[in-house]
Amino acid sequence: MKHYILGAVSAVALVSAAQAQDSLVIGHALSPTSHYGVGAQAFLDTLAELSGGTFTGEQAPAGQLGGERDMIEGLQIGSLDLVITSTGPLGNFVPEVLALDLPFLFRDYDHARSVLDGEIGQELLDAMGGNDLVGLAWSENGFRHVTNSQRPITTPEDLGGLKLRTMENAVHMAAFEGMGAAPTPMAFPEVFGALQQGVVDGQENPITVITASRFWEVQGYVTLTGHVYSPAVVLASPILFEGLTEEQQGWFMEAARASAAATRAEVDRLEAEGVDLMRANGMEVITEIDRAPFQALAAEAAWPVYTDQFGTALLERILAVE
Ligand code: EAX
């Protein structure tokens, strides 16, 4: 019986890989021209070039295939080939990854990129394998900031009672409870409508997402809290990936690295231009605040969500990276 089942699974994997060769789909939650869209196109272009046109496909942007949690589940069951996603919901599938979502852990972009491109990043990509996912490369979403429709935020007290959408992430929810807000977890495709209808007062995202999503249409205020560095990751379905030859798998990993480089370059561009763009579209942008009280409250509330389960060893390694 066991041989029969193994035979069937192999056959499915081979058929899936054959079918996938000319119709790959890479899903993500943002617009086709966003930093994820740029990364998705770089992935497809690089893979087509490396494979001599054997592997082609298209991006499924703007949450067409659901929120990030839905798309990650699609990878696990093989209904989706590839995804570019933030780590927001990923901790529900790969708990070790929650370390990366801790508030005020990463000093700046250079620090975050050094950690993710080094041995720690590779260890966490490898950990995806035990959870029916294939981590191809670390990409980037950006440092997250708070937007809202009610008032300028300059101190944690200003967050008091604010209904704030967060990702489906226990660390982020704890952080905002600690800072005095009322966190509401929600999949990204629902966020713009919830802000428009006043279901929530605010949300938090990097400048890249705020600008790509034109949040200025529903949010009057943004404060550059930079409370969390939000990684993104290029993931593949194991059902697709395990049906590939070793050479083909190498093409996918190289294409994922090219995707990440393109996304990071777009993040750098938008970080430089984003404040002016948000102001030009009517947002009151507060760039200078005392982050210490935000950090004290957020870290005290959120870090134990991770350290109670995994301890502090990985965090000490991350903090030690130059
Ligand atoms: O990954 O859900 C979020 O706020 C994410 O930042 C967004 O989907 C991009």
Side-chain angles (χ1 to χ4, degrees):
M1 188 61 175
K2 183 179 175 186
H3 293 300
Y4 172 75
I5 289 174
L6 198 58
V9 167
S10 305
V12 166
L14 285 174
V15 168
S16 170
Q19 284 169 344
Q21 288 194 6
D22 57 5
S23 59
L24 289 172
V25 174
I26 182 166
H28 63 88
L30 302 178
S31 70
T33 55
S34 67
H35 58 307
Y36 286 3
V38 166
Q41 198 54 52
F43 179 92
L44 294 168
D45 294 347
T46 304
L47 185 59
E49 185 181 343
L50 290 171
S51 67
T54 304
F55 288 94
T56 59
E58 58 189 12
Q59 58 176 297
Q64 289 172 5
L65 301 179
E68 293 180 335
R69 188 183 189 124
D70 301 326
M71 289 191 280
I72 293 168
E73 288 169 354
L75 294 177
Q76 291 180 316
I77 64 173
S79 61
L80 182 53
D81 299 318
L82 298 143
V83 170
I84 297 174
T85 176
S86 74
T87 53
L90 190 56
N92 300 300
F93 301 87
V94 188
E96 303 92 320
V97 168
L98 279 172
L100 303 178
D101 298 318
L102 289 175
F104 300 102
L105 174 66
F106 291 102
R107 295 187 295 274
D108 52 33
Y109 279 99
D110 287 344
H111 178 218
R113 293 172 181 177
S114 295
V115 169
L116 294 174
D117 293 348
E119 63 178 17
I120 293 172
Q122 189 55 55
E123 286 169 19
L124 291 172
L125 288 177
D126 293 345
M128 313 279 179
N131 298 277
D132 296 325
L133 295 168
V134 179
L136 295 177
W138 287 107
S139 185
E140 185 166 80
N141 198 12
F143 275 92
R144 303 178 77 90
H145 308 298
V146 176
T147 71
N148 84 95
S149 59
Q150 302 301 309
R151 52 183 175 266
I153 304 293
T154 57
T155 67
E157 289 71 26
D158 296 330
L159 285 172
L162 213 59
K163 292 180 292 181
L164 199 84
R165 176 269 175 178
T166 67
M167 295 197 282
E168 297 153 301
N169 181 297
V171 166
H172 290 188
M173 292 175 67
F176 279 99
E177 273 177 11
M179 289 189 277
T184 304
M186 188 185 296
F188 189 73
E190 300 165 31
V191 175
F192 191 95
L195 293 168
Q196 200 167 36
Q197 295 153 27
V199 170
V200 288
D201 303 314
Q203 65 88 46
E204 47 84 51
N205 248 297
I207 290 174
T208 50
V209 176
I210 297 167
T211 54
S213 309
R214 303 176 62 83
F215 278 154
W216 48 69
E217 295 177 5
V218 288
Q219 300 276 267
Y221 306 96
V222 55
T223 297
L224 302 190
T225 48
H227 53 277
V228 160
Y229 169 79
S230 184
V233 61
V234 183
L235 296 173
S237 170
I239 293 167
L240 163 69
F241 197 73
E242 286 160 14
L244 302 173
T245 65
E246 197 171 324
E247 181 186 33
Q248 292 169 339
Q249 290 181 350
W251 296 342
F252 275 68
M253 286 189 276
E254 187 172 341
R257 287 190 290 271
S259 170
T263 292
R264 285 176 176 175
E266 187 67 359
V267 169
D268 289 343
R269 183 182 74 80
L270 288 165
E271 284 283 310
E273 300 174 6
V275 170
D276 289 345
L277 185 57
M278 293 187 291
R279 283 182 172 142
N281 283 284
M283 292 189 92
E284 178 178 334
V285 183
I286 298 169
T287 58
E288 299 301 327
I289 57 168
D290 177 5
R291 286 185 174 80
F294 290 92
Q295 179 168 357
L297 291 167
E300 182 185 1
W303 282 45
V305 173
Y306 171 82
T307 56
D308 285 355
Q309 187 176 354
F310 294 100
T312 61
L314 180 57
L315 307 186
E316 288 161 12
R317 291 174 61 201
I318 288 173
L319 292 169
V321 171
E322 294 300 317

